[in-house]
Amino acid sequence: GQQLNQSPQSMFIQEGEDVSMNCTSSSIFNTWLWYKQDPGEGPVLLIALYKAGELTSNGRLTAQFGITRKDSFLNISASIPSDVGIYFCAGTGTASKLTFGTGTRLQVTL
Amino acid sequence: DAMVIQNPRYQVTQFGKPVTLSCSQTLNHNVMYWYQQKSSQAPKLLFHYYDKDFNNEADTPDNFQSRRPNTSFCFLDIRSPGLGDAAMYLCATSRGTVRDSRHNEQFFGPGTRLTVL
């Protein structure tokens, strides 16, 4: 099925650094969602975005819904070891089904 | 706390032996989904129920079936598991009420990891 282009594929950063990842699509989306998945667990919803240009924060996380409605980014400030995991973007168009990004694997070193 | 529950968390079955995975939710959401996720890949939607209406994805094998006896419960039946069906199976729910701007947010359970011997 269709997937969103998510980058980078993986990141290896030091504790305290800021992290940025993004998703792009050739199609317009009405909703952008960002999930984090820990090993052996289900994805957990971090941030949901509903309007083009919207900027939303959740603690150290900030995400934006691109103006063109074809992209979104997620920033994590001052990363800590528990930020390790796989981050997925997901979007919905006119239907309620999610289209997932390919995932960004984040590893944090002390 | 309202949540999505999956049982069991780990399931081992033999090649060709039918297996059923279960999901329950206390969120009172209209829509329930089943996804298959293989290592390091994004979840792949198998099917979903909007209330009692069943919606199958075109590429979901006939080997996979689902039942939703009531709002709270949904089951995934794999009639004859093959080695390629070994994966994490995720259940998710969403409100599905269009007039609610958050109706597309999906909430996932912890998953059931299926091993096929």
Side-chain angles (χ1 to χ4, degrees):
Chain A
Q2 181 187 6
Q3 281 190 326
L4 299 171
N5 296 316
Q6 187 171 346
S7 65
Q9 187 175 9
S10 65
M11 303 182 73
F12 211 124
I13 64 168
Q14 287 193 323
E15 183 178 9
E17 288 184 346
D18 296 343
V19 173
S20 184
M21 60 191 78
N22 67 79
C23 267
T24 59
S25 170
S26 57
S27 306
I28 289 174
F29 285 94
N30 295 326
T31 306
W32 284 94
L33 307 174
W34 284 93
Y35 288 88
K36 177 177 184 265
Q37 187 172 24
D38 292 330
E41 299 292 333
V44 173
L45 182 61
L46 300 173
I47 291 181
L49 302 158
Y50 308 102
K51 296 180 184 177
E54 179 181 356
L55 185 71
T56 297
S57 292
N58 178 8
R60 293 179 295 107
L61 278 61
T62 302
Q64 185 158 31
F65 192 143
I67 289 290
T68 65
R69 297 169 64 192
K70 294 182 178 181
D71 63 337
S72 177
F73 72 75
L74 175 70
N75 287 342
I76 305 172
S77 63
S79 59
I80 58 178
S82 63
D83 290 334
V84 165
I86 301 179
Y87 292 80
F88 288 103
C89 64
T92 63
T94 53
S96 61
K97 292 192 293 186
L98 292 183
T99 298
F100 278 91
T102 46
T104 295
R105 181 181 296 274
L106 179 63
Q107 294 174 284
V108 180
T109 58
L110 298 174
Chain B
D1 286 343
M3 54 175 41
V4 181
I5 302 161
Q6 289 189 245
N7 286 306
R9 294 293 313 275
Y10 301 91
Q11 177 73 59
V12 180
T13 190
Q14 291 181 333
F15 183 93
K17 185 175 181 181
V19 66
T20 295
L21 309 182
S22 72
C23 177
S24 64
Q25 54 129 344
T26 61
L27 298 162
N28 202 31
H29 282 174
N30 293 321
V31 193
M32 294 187 77
Y33 307 81
W34 278 105
Y35 289 87
Q36 180 192 67
Q37 186 179 32
K38 296 194 174 179
S39 181
S40 300
Q41 297 180 19
K44 178 181 181 298
L45 182 64
L46 296 173
F47 25 59
H48 72 278
Y49 274 94
Y50 193 112
D51 290 331
K52 291 184 181 294
D53 293 333
F54 177 71
N55 298 272
N56 198 32
E57 292 300 295
D59 57 354
T60 298
D62 292 341
N63 198 24
F64 292 86
Q65 303 286 320
S66 185
R67 297 169 284 136
R68 189 179 185 186
N70 54 52
T71 300
S72 301
F73 285 87
C74 196
F75 300 97
L76 171 62
D77 301 309
I78 308 177
R79 292 191 296 187
S80 183
L83 298 178
D85 296 328
M88 173 77 93
Y89 289 88
L90 296 163
C91 174
T93 72
S94 68
R95 287 182 178 83
T97 305
V98 177
R99 55 182 183 273
D100 180 349
S101 62
R102 300 175 62 183
H103 69 280
N104 282 334
E105 294 178 13
Q106 290 189 21
F107 298 89
F108 286 82
T112 295
R113 179 160 300 281
L114 178 68
T115 299
V116 181
L117 301 178

